[in-house]
Amino acid sequence: MTVTARINIETTAGRKILRELEKHRKLVKIEYPEIVALEKEKTYTVEEVFDECYDILSEFYGVDVHKL
């Protein structure tokens, strides 16, 4: 029989419980939630960010901000 528990490891007590469970590797299987979604997101260069901002400002003001 298996039991599934959700432990909030952002608290001191939660981290203590997790450390205790980690001591019993043969009996306990720990599954961490996937946080890799942030790593898969695209990163942008400074130039790409400024170009996007210039496009937004150009559309808002009706003037080509790239030429200013």
Side-chain angles (χ1 to χ4, degrees), residues 7-21:
I7 302 168
N8 182 0
I9 59 171
E10 293 179 1
T11 64
T12 307
R15 287 189 296 271
K16 185 176 180 181
I17 293 168
L18 180 63
R19 280 193 305 271
E20 186 63 34
L21 290 172

Side-chain angles (χ1 to χ4, degrees), residues 3 19 21-22 25-27 29-30 34-37 39 43-44 56-58 62 64-65 68:
V3 176
R19 280 193 305 271
L21 290 172
E22 286 175 336
R25 292 278 183 189
K26 292 181 181 177
L27 301 173
K29 179 181 177 187
I30 298 174
E34 287 192 33
I35 306 178
V36 287
E39 296 173 6
T43 56
Y44 297 92
I56 293 170
L57 290 172
S58 295
D64 188 6
V65 180
L68 296 179

